[in-house]
Amino acid sequence: MTTPSDDAAESAPVPVRVVLPADPLLGTEQQEVVARLWKRRQTGAGWAYLVGLPSYRDLEDGSVEAAEYRVWVRAPDHVRPVDGVDYDQVATERLEPPPKSAVREVLGERRPSGWVLAKVRGGRGPARGVLHAPDCEEAPQGAPLLDVEHALSVAENPGTRLCTLCGCAQELTPLLSGFDHITDS
């Protein structure tokens, strides 16, 4: 839904330049005409402006009178400001902020993605290490972030442990050993 910036059903329009498209069939190039800006609306894809373009209409008695054709156009693609015009009084509908997710409220912010390796040097033999989530208390500061493929490759090394404090073991073990051991019971 939207929230109007002012309570007036329709405020007084202000001048705005509308960019008309080129028409290769008629041989016309892109043009700008001055129209009236009635309202502007923020959408998920940007801003839309309700403009009134000058036009004519036929009357039943065969005569013609001046009229206005109202249409929504994208801004700034199809509209340009007129120098010296104040647009602050134009009726404006802004998007409401998205509602806070109940899941996000309960769980908190998402943890950073990836894993880090804490190298453990102890005596002879192959290098040992512990894989951690980046926000783990035991994770080394400034260690390079490993994506899932690299983390699994490191985890397959017999000298590597998966930290249980931060949940690294719970996240990577099913990927290492497959999901076959999980049953419906």
Side-chain angles (χ1 to χ4, degrees):
M1 297 309 292
T2 57
T3 53
S5 65
D6 54 8
D7 296 332
E10 217 171 76
S11 61
V14 294
V16 67
R17 293 188 186 284
V18 175
V19 180
L20 300 176
D23 188 343
L25 294 176
L26 294 176
T28 59
E29 294 185 18
Q30 181 174 296
Q31 304 173 48
E32 284 188 11
V33 296
V34 176
R36 299 194 301 173
L37 174 59
W38 286 95
K39 188 186 288 189
R40 51 191 174 181
R41 175 181 295 154
Q42 187 180 24
T43 69
W47 285 90
Y49 284 26
L50 180 62
V51 296
L53 296 164
S55 182
Y56 293 99
R57 73 172 155 222
D58 296 327
L59 298 177
E60 289 183 17
D61 66 2
S63 61
V64 177
E65 72 177 0
E68 181 178 76
Y69 175 71
R70 291 189 188 179
V71 63
W72 287 97
V73 295
R74 284 190 315 256
D77 301 342
H78 303 125
V79 291
R80 308 274 186 270
V82 172
D83 292 337
V85 175
D86 180 17
Y87 294 97
D88 290 339
Q89 301 307 312
V90 175
T92 304
E93 297 176 0
R94 298 187 184 275
L95 285 177
E96 291 178 2
K100 187 149 182 163
S101 164
V103 171
R104 190 66 50 228
E105 265 184 53
V106 172
L107 297 179
E109 290 303 312
R110 282 184 59 168
R111 73 178 333 159
S113 61
W115 292 270
V116 294
L117 178 64
K119 294 181 181 173
V120 179
R121 301 276 181 209
R124 296 183 172 174
R128 298 184 172 281
V130 181
L131 270 176
H132 299 278
D135 58 350
C136 180
E137 295 172 7
E138 303 293 322
Q141 296 297 315
L145 199 61
L146 303 175
D147 63 13
V148 68
E149 289 181 36
H150 287 99
L152 290 172
S153 179
V154 169
E156 288 176 332
N157 181 340
T160 303
R161 282 189 317 106
L162 303 178
C163 179
T164 56
L165 177 66
C166 64
C168 181
Q170 291 86 344
E171 292 177 26
L172 292 181
T173 300
L175 298 174
L176 285 168
S177 56
F179 292 94
D180 295 338
H181 67 282
I182 300 174
T183 62
D184 293 333
S185 58

